[in-house]
Amino acid sequence: MTQHLAARTAADSADALDWWRDAVIYQVYPRSFADGDGDGTGDLPGIRARLPYLAGLGVDAVWLSPFYASPQADGGYDVADYRAIDPAYGTLHDADALIRDAHELGLRIIVDVVPNHSSDRHEWFRRALREGPGSPLRARYHFRPGKGANGELPPNDWESIFGGPAWTRCPDGEWYLHLFAPEQPDFDWDHPAVADEFRSILRFWLDMGVDGFRVDVAHGLVKAAGLPDIGVVDDQLKLLGNAPMPFFDQDGVHDIYRSWRRVLDEYPGRRIAVAEAWTPTVERTANYVRPDELHQAFNFQYLGTYWDAAELRPVIDASLAAMRPVGAPATWVLSNHDVTRHTTRFANPPGLGTQLRSAGDPALGLRRARAATLLMLALPGSAYLYQGEELGLPDVTDLPDEVRQDPAFARGAGQDGFRDGCRVPIPWTVAGRSYGFGAGGSWLPQPAGWGELSVEAQSGDPGSTLELYRAALAVRREHPALGAGDGVEWLAAPEGVLLFRREPGGGGAGAAFVCAANTTGAPVRITVPAGRVLLASTEAVGGAVGAVGAAAGGVVELPGDTTVWWSAEDA
C-alpha cells in the first residue's frame, strides 16, 4: 500500500495548531467498539462505520488502542509487528481508509505505540531465543544469567506488574525481564537499535497520516544501571506510584522523548504524543511534557480521586500548578480500558481502588458519574473519554471467571485482573444478538438489558446520559471560557461543594463561566452570579436553579451529587 500524508482538514489552519491543548479525545478499544465482519471481535471497518457517530458526539480526536499484529496475550499490548495490522482487526488498507474518513469528518486519529516491551513472538525476540546466549539480538532485550550456584534464581528481586517474578528462565539457562506478562519481554533501550527502530515506527504511522501517539508505559523504558534489587519482596507492588522504583520513571527516558519530539515536529499539522506515565507526583509527570518532550501526559492522580470536593480540589490545583511552569495543558480522565468505569467506582464507597467487583448502587453511581463528567469538562486543558461512558455504562462486575481474559486475573499478587468488566462490547441498538455490536455475538458476554443503555435507546431522549454528553461537548466548543487558560478562580462555597469561575481565554470578550459541583448527597444552598444556566447533570435542576440564577443571581439550592454550568452575565 502506498503510504501517504493524509489530507489536512480545515482544522489545521494556523489558528488551530494548538488543537491538543483543549481537545476532547475519545478512546476506542477496538476489540469492543464495533464489529464489521461479524466474527464477534471489533475491528477497523467497524470503527470506520461508526466515525460519524463520534463526529456527531462532538469529540476532537479518536485514540485507538493497539490493533497491531499480536498473539493477544495482553489485549494487543504484546506487539509482534508494529507495522502490520492484526488480521482480527483488518488490514493496512482498512487503517488507511479509517484515517482518511476521520480527517474528512474533522476528527484526528491517535494510535497507541508500545515501546517498553514487545511480544515474545516479535522476530527480534524469536531470533534471540533461537540463537542462544551471545546472540546480538539478546542485547536488545534484558537477558541475564541467574543467581545461585547454578543460576537457578532470578537476576534480581523485581516483581511483574501482573504478579509473580519479573523474570522467566530460558531453556538455555539465561533469564529475560518482563515487567508485565512473560509473553511481553522488555526492550533494553540502552541499545541504539531499539531507539532507531522506534523512530522508524513513528515515521511509518506519521506517513500514514496519524495525528499522534499515546505512549504505553512511557515511564518504564529506562531501567536503573545494573538492575539493582529493590529490597522488598512482599507487597513490592504496593510501592508503585508512591516511591522511586529502579524500573520506572528513570531520568533517562527524557532523552528518548526529546528525540521523538524532533520526529513529530518534522510533520505538518502539529502531531502530538501523550504519555501514559505513572509517577509518584504530578510534578514528576510534568517532566514528560516539557517544551521539547511530549505534548500531554495522563493525569492518573485525578483519575484515582474519589467524588469528594475535599479530595478533588487539591488534586485540581496541584495538576494545574505542575503543568503551568512547563507550558503544557493539564489532562483529565475518569475512565479507561484498565480501570473500573467511574459509574461503578462512584457507586461504591471510597478507598476500594480502581478495579472493583462490586456493582454498588447503580443509580447513585450514574448520578455521580454525570456530575463528575460536567466537572471534568469544565476544567482547563484536555479531557479524555472512554468508549461507552457517554452511555452511562456501568462496569460488568459479574462476569463468570471462566470467560475472563485479563492475563492478570490468573496470576497471583499482581493487578486485580478485573479489567474485562470495562471492556465488554458496547451496545448500539435496543435489540439484536449483540445489541448492534456485530452480527456474530460478542467476545465477552453482554448483560441482559444492555440494549436499554444503547445509542439507539438514548438518542433523542433529553434526559439521557448520551444527550448530556452531546450537549456538554457542544457548549464546551461554543463557550469562550471553556477549554481555555490554565487556571480557575475558586469562589466561596459550603463544605462538599466546588464552585469556580473561568474567564474567556486570551483576554477575549464574552461571558464568564461558572461551575458548581455538589459532591455531597444532600441539597446545599450556594450563592451564584446572575446569568443563564447552560447545563445541569441532573435533569430536574434546570428549572429551579435556572429561574433564580437568570433573574438576578443570589442564593440557589443545588441538589446533591449534581454539577451545574452557568454563563455569568456580569463578566
Side-chain angles (χ1 to χ4, degrees):
M1 184 184 78
T2 302
Q3 295 177 344
H4 67 91
L5 287 174
R8 299 289 98 188
T9 66
D12 283 324
S13 59
D15 61 350
L17 287 180
D18 287 343
W19 64 270
W20 47 276
R21 288 189 170 274
D22 61 357
V24 176
I25 300 172
Y26 185 101
Q27 181 190 359
V28 166
Y29 191 72
R31 197 176 184 187
S32 301
F33 189 67
D35 176 12
D37 62 8
D39 66 355
T41 297
D43 48 37
L44 297 183
I47 298 168
R48 182 186 177 196
R50 298 294 186 177
L51 287 174
Y53 164 77
L54 296 177
L57 184 62
V59 301
D60 300 295
V62 179
W63 153 34
L64 302 175
S65 292
F67 47 69
Y68 309 110
S70 167
Q72 301 296 319
D74 183 24
Y77 284 92
D78 50 316
V79 180
D81 187 340
Y82 291 85
R83 298 178 182 83
I85 307 296
D86 193 283
Y89 297 135
T91 66
L92 280 173
H93 289 289
D94 293 325
D96 177 79
L98 188 156
I99 294 167
R100 288 180 183 272
D101 283 5
H103 289 161
E104 289 178 2
L105 289 167
L107 295 169
R108 300 175 190 267
I109 294 293
I110 296 170
V111 300
D112 251 296
V113 63
V114 187
N116 179 70
H117 48 263
S118 73
S119 165
D120 61 353
R121 307 287 181 86
H122 191 286
E123 181 58 27
W124 283 5
F125 193 77
R126 294 174 67 184
R127 282 185 54 193
L129 290 181
R130 187 169 61 246
E131 294 173 5
S135 167
L137 273 298
R138 292 207 174 192
R140 301 180 186 186
Y141 295 90
H142 293 278
F143 281 87
R144 296 289 188 277
K147 294 181 178 179
N150 299 302
E152 70 278 9
L153 301 176
N156 66 23
D157 64 2
W158 296 0
E159 294 180 0
S160 164
I161 307 306
F162 287 168
W167 296 89
T168 290
R169 196 176 193 187
C170 304
D172 55 48
E174 284 197 332
W175 297 73
Y176 69 86
L177 176 68
H178 51 86
L179 291 181
F180 295 89
E183 297 88 352
Q184 295 170 289
D186 280 44
F187 287 113
D188 187 341
W189 273 84
D190 288 336
H191 197 293
V194 176
D196 290 345
E197 171 68 355
F198 274 91
R199 283 191 293 266
S200 175
I201 291 166
L202 296 182
R203 288 193 172 93
F204 177 88
W205 289 104
L206 291 167
D207 289 343
M208 283 277 289
V210 304
D211 299 283
F213 302 92
R214 177 265 192 185
V215 187
D216 186 62
V217 196
H219 54 300
L221 276 57
V222 173
K223 279 67 174 175
L227 309 184
D229 283 343
I230 295 173
V232 176
V233 177
D234 294 331
D235 296 327
Q236 183 183 110
L237 296 178
K238 291 184 179 179
L239 298 175
L240 292 178
N242 300 308
M245 303 296 277
F247 48 75
F248 279 167
D249 196 30
Q250 299 292 304
D251 289 339
V253 299
H254 300 292
D255 288 335
I256 296 169
Y257 298 132
R258 291 185 184 97
S259 73
W260 285 21
R261 181 61 177 262
R262 290 192 290 272
V263 172
L264 292 165
D265 287 348
E266 295 173 7
Y267 287 80
R270 194 58 62 94
R271 317 297 177 91
I272 71 164
V274 183
E276 183 210 25
W278 290 88
T279 66
T281 65
V282 289
E283 290 76 16
R284 291 291 297 182
T285 301
N287 290 337
Y288 291 78
V289 290
R290 289 177 284 199
D292 60 346
E293 294 190 45
L294 306 181
H295 298 76
Q296 292 182 352
F298 287 132
N299 189 343
F300 292 116
Q301 284 81 7
Y302 186 78
L303 182 149
T305 304
Y306 197 67
W307 178 241
D308 183 314
E311 295 184 26
L312 286 163
R313 179 166 171 172
V315 172
I316 293 169
D317 284 340
S319 300
L320 294 170
M323 296 299 135
R324 213 171 281 130
V326 296
T331 64
W332 315 100
V333 61
L334 292 167
S335 288
N336 64 34
H337 66 292
D338 281 333
V339 300
T340 297
R341 290 182 179 275
H342 61 283
T343 36
T344 298
R345 295 204 315 276
F346 295 157
N348 282 276
L352 300 181
T354 57
Q355 289 188 19
L356 283 65
R357 295 196 79 176
S358 169
D361 181 340
L364 176 62
L366 179 59
R367 184 183 179 96
R368 288 174 169 176
R370 289 164 59 102
T373 293
L374 288 197
L375 171 62
M376 176 183 75
L377 291 175
L379 296 170
S382 181
Y384 282 78
L385 310 179
Y386 178 54
Q387 64 178 42
E389 73 170 75
E390 77 278 14
L391 304 177
L393 295 185
D395 225 65
V396 182
T397 57
D398 59 354
L399 285 171
D401 290 352
E402 60 269 18
V403 306
R404 291 187 178 273
Q405 300 191 36
D406 185 344
F409 182 72
R411 296 170 63 86
Q415 292 182 357
D416 292 331
F418 302 138
R419 296 179 297 174
D420 293 311
C422 67
R423 299 177 180 184
V424 173
I426 67 174
W428 293 92
T429 59
V430 174
R433 184 179 175 190
S434 62
Y435 306 106
F437 170 69
S442 63
W443 66 281
L444 281 172
Q446 299 161 301
W450 210 227
E452 298 172 6
L453 299 174
S454 67
V455 173
E456 180 184 20
Q458 296 195 43
S459 291
D461 177 358
S464 72
T465 301
L466 175 57
E467 294 300 344
L468 176 69
Y469 270 72
R470 285 172 171 163
L473 294 179
V475 172
R476 184 180 164 99
R477 285 191 175 217
E478 295 167 2
H479 201 289
L482 278 172
D486 60 5
V488 300
E489 176 190 352
W490 293 107
L491 305 177
E495 184 178 355
V497 175
L498 297 174
L499 182 63
F500 61 85
R501 178 187 182 103
R502 300 191 56 205
E503 301 293 338
F513 170 89
V514 175
C515 177
N518 180 5
T519 68
T520 76
V524 295
R525 298 180 70 79
I526 61 172
T527 302
V528 297
R532 175 173 58 93
V533 170
L534 298 171
L535 200 60
S537 64
T538 304
E539 188 178 11
V541 167
V545 176
V548 178
V555 177
V556 299
E557 186 173 273
L558 185 63
D561 294 315
T562 297
T563 298
V564 181
W565 291 358
W566 277 270
S567 181
E569 293 177 349
D570 61 343

